[in-house]
Amino acid sequence: KPDLEIAMRAEPYKIPAEGTVEYQYFVIDPGFTEEKWIKAAQVIPGNRSVVHHAIVFIRPPDDQPFRGVGWLTAYVPGQRMIPMPPGHARRVPAGSRLVFQMHYTTNGTEQEDLSKVGVIFADPAKVTEEVITLIGIDQEFEIPPQAENHEVKGRVRWMPKDGKLLAIAPHMHVRGKSFEMSAEKPDGSTTLLNVPQYDFNWQHSYVLSEPVPLSEITNLNFTATFDNSEKNPFNPDPTQWVNWGDQTWEEMAVVFLEVSDPLKKSEEKSGDSLQARMKRRQARNDSTPVEDVLSEADRRARIEEQVQKFVNDFFDRLDTNHDGVLMRSEAPVALRTRFGQYDHNNDQAADRSELEAIARRRFDR
């Protein structure tokens, strides 16, 4: 039994009898006045006949540092809740909102839905590993008509160096045929997951038999293969070019990774922090004070370099029309749920100054 059940809104949402229902987003305040750690969460669909899938994201306050895509839990065909290992939990900062992303499919009669999420809290004193969800994604593909084996390749762009990979959840739509994920290491490449027959109606999160240390990995790459030919019995129209989109007849090339990150980092365990290394250097050469090495000007310069790299990478990846502004409509689906974190003036666009302010808070800690 959950410690708390949170409804997506006060009143049920009405689903029409026919037609396409665009993704619906409902933002709810769970009333968390202090930081919470959640060790289990499960979506409780209100009406399974029309709820195709539901994802619940964490939207932290704008001034709170937060990593990953903000994933809390999801309900998708074929997927079950995966219990976390002892000592593992997701962090929810005080003042966070929950965002329900709801995908409805019509069934011929008007329906209503009031889905919920149930959560079980962890004792903060017993949490040793923070669980976050990372994403690998490619949105720039075009699948030609009649293509039987069209490959789309992507990679995960950031990993916590002290973390461990726990689980892999690929996501495509009805043209998805197979999926493979590999890890690049200094001594070569290793296959982590191979799904030779992907099934949109039975989507799994694959828990690794042994967690994989990310410190040994230089890159995480994936290949999503699509069948847009007449041989695919689920293909709605093999004569069409297919691009990225939310709806089932469009496509996605995404992988979600469950990663644990220790609360006590390796440099804390070994004492090998930047300050510790510089103090050892000073011990070898007392003529160079630590204060000079870590001068405020140098520190600020390093932070600004990190800020500009973060912002440049952000716009290079996501600003598809290269106008220096990321519109909410351009953003990946997972990012739209917490777009307010980047869009401080709520004009449905994030510009460079807004991203720089976020990055400075992130790196100046």
mmCIF file of all heavy atoms in Angstrom, residues 45 68 70 82 115 167 201 223 250 286 305 333 339 353:
data_model
loop_
_atom_site.group_PDB
_atom_site.id
_atom_site.type_symbol
_atom_site.label_atom_id
_atom_site.label_comp_id
_atom_site.label_asym_id
_atom_site.label_seq_id
_atom_site.Cartn_x
_atom_site.Cartn_y
_atom_site.Cartn_z
ATOM 1 N N PRO A 45 -3.704 3.947 -13.287
ATOM 2 C CA PRO A 45 -4.578 4.491 -14.331
ATOM 3 C C PRO A 45 -6.027 4.546 -13.848
ATOM 4 O O PRO A 45 -6.541 3.588 -13.266
ATOM 5 C CB PRO A 45 -4.410 3.500 -15.484
ATOM 6 C CG PRO A 45 -3.193 2.710 -15.166
ATOM 7 C CD PRO A 45 -3.079 2.679 -13.689
ATOM 8 N N GLY A 68 19.248 14.697 -14.578
ATOM 9 C CA GLY A 68 18.392 13.732 -15.253
ATOM 10 C C GLY A 68 17.176 14.398 -15.861
ATOM 11 O O GLY A 68 17.066 15.626 -15.919
ATOM 12 N N GLY A 70 14.095 14.089 -14.731
ATOM 13 C CA GLY A 70 13.041 14.307 -13.760
ATOM 14 C C GLY A 70 12.024 13.193 -13.687
ATOM 15 O O GLY A 70 10.927 13.368 -13.168
ATOM 16 N N ILE A 82 9.566 -1.684 -11.105
ATOM 17 C CA ILE A 82 10.798 -2.369 -10.728
ATOM 18 C C ILE A 82 11.205 -1.916 -9.335
ATOM 19 O O ILE A 82 11.433 -0.712 -9.109
ATOM 20 C CB ILE A 82 11.921 -2.059 -11.731
ATOM 21 C CG1 ILE A 82 11.513 -2.528 -13.134
ATOM 22 C CG2 ILE A 82 13.225 -2.700 -11.307
ATOM 23 C CD1 ILE A 82 12.437 -2.066 -14.212
ATOM 24 N N SER A 115 -6.360 9.642 -13.332
ATOM 25 C CA SER A 115 -5.248 8.787 -12.935
ATOM 26 C C SER A 115 -4.530 9.368 -11.725
ATOM 27 O O SER A 115 -4.613 10.562 -11.432
ATOM 28 C CB SER A 115 -4.263 8.616 -14.094
ATOM 29 O OG SER A 115 -4.856 7.858 -15.135
ATOM 30 N N ALA A 167 19.352 -0.156 -15.254
ATOM 31 C CA ALA A 167 18.325 -0.678 -16.155
ATOM 32 C C ALA A 167 18.270 0.145 -17.431
ATOM 33 O O ALA A 167 18.670 1.319 -17.450
ATOM 34 C CB ALA A 167 16.960 -0.691 -15.470
ATOM 35 N N ASN A 201 3.700 -3.089 -28.078
ATOM 36 C CA ASN A 201 2.624 -3.415 -27.155
ATOM 37 C C ASN A 201 3.109 -4.144 -25.900
ATOM 38 O O ASN A 201 2.286 -4.533 -25.059
ATOM 39 C CB ASN A 201 1.569 -4.274 -27.860
ATOM 40 C CG ASN A 201 0.909 -3.525 -28.990
ATOM 41 O OD1 ASN A 201 0.337 -2.460 -28.789
ATOM 42 N ND2 ASN A 201 0.999 -4.074 -30.195
ATOM 43 N N THR A 223 21.413 1.834 -31.162
ATOM 44 C CA THR A 223 20.919 1.740 -32.537
ATOM 45 C C THR A 223 19.476 1.261 -32.485
ATOM 46 O O THR A 223 19.198 0.164 -31.977
ATOM 47 C CB THR A 223 21.757 0.765 -33.381
ATOM 48 O OG1 THR A 223 23.111 1.205 -33.411
ATOM 49 C CG2 THR A 223 21.209 0.701 -34.804
ATOM 50 N N GLU A 250 3.568 8.171 -35.828
ATOM 51 C CA GLU A 250 4.877 8.797 -35.987
ATOM 52 C C GLU A 250 5.891 7.898 -35.265
ATOM 53 O O GLU A 250 5.563 6.792 -34.877
ATOM 54 C CB GLU A 250 4.830 10.213 -35.413
ATOM 55 C CG GLU A 250 3.833 11.104 -36.144
ATOM 56 C CD GLU A 250 3.525 12.399 -35.423
ATOM 57 O OE1 GLU A 250 3.254 12.354 -34.197
ATOM 58 O OE2 GLU A 250 3.545 13.445 -36.079
ATOM 59 N N ASP A 286 56.092 24.826 -0.817
ATOM 60 C CA ASP A 286 55.443 25.788 0.076
ATOM 61 C C ASP A 286 55.464 27.201 -0.469
ATOM 62 O O ASP A 286 54.814 28.093 0.075
ATOM 63 C CB ASP A 286 56.115 25.765 1.453
ATOM 64 C CG ASP A 286 55.766 24.507 2.222
ATOM 65 O OD1 ASP A 286 54.704 23.922 1.921
ATOM 66 O OD2 ASP A 286 56.555 24.113 3.104
ATOM 67 N N GLU A 305 33.780 29.400 -18.151
ATOM 68 C CA GLU A 305 34.100 28.470 -19.239
ATOM 69 C C GLU A 305 33.119 27.302 -19.246
ATOM 70 O O GLU A 305 32.631 26.896 -20.306
ATOM 71 C CB GLU A 305 35.527 27.956 -19.062
ATOM 72 C CG GLU A 305 35.994 27.049 -20.185
ATOM 73 C CD GLU A 305 37.425 26.586 -20.002
ATOM 74 O OE1 GLU A 305 38.120 27.149 -19.120
ATOM 75 O OE2 GLU A 305 37.848 25.676 -20.725
ATOM 76 N N VAL A 333 10.157 15.772 -25.888
ATOM 77 C CA VAL A 333 8.976 15.568 -25.053
ATOM 78 C C VAL A 333 9.345 15.575 -23.575
ATOM 79 O O VAL A 333 8.678 16.192 -22.740
ATOM 80 C CB VAL A 333 8.283 14.243 -25.431
ATOM 81 C CG1 VAL A 333 7.166 13.923 -24.452
ATOM 82 C CG2 VAL A 333 7.736 14.323 -26.838
ATOM 83 N N PHE A 339 9.788 22.523 -18.790
ATOM 84 C CA PHE A 339 10.323 23.641 -19.564
ATOM 85 C C PHE A 339 10.389 24.916 -18.737
ATOM 86 O O PHE A 339 11.227 25.777 -18.974
ATOM 87 C CB PHE A 339 9.477 23.867 -20.820
ATOM 88 C CG PHE A 339 10.150 24.710 -21.862
ATOM 89 C CD1 PHE A 339 11.161 24.186 -22.652
ATOM 90 C CD2 PHE A 339 9.791 26.037 -22.043
ATOM 91 C CE1 PHE A 339 11.797 24.961 -23.611
ATOM 92 C CE2 PHE A 339 10.416 26.822 -22.996
ATOM 93 C CZ PHE A 339 11.429 26.285 -23.783
ATOM 94 N N SER A 353 20.365 34.069 -22.240
ATOM 95 C CA SER A 353 20.547 34.648 -20.904
ATOM 96 C C SER A 353 19.890 33.787 -19.829
ATOM 97 O O SER A 353 20.433 33.645 -18.721
ATOM 98 C CB SER A 353 19.976 36.069 -20.865
ATOM 99 O OG SER A 353 18.574 36.061 -21.089
#
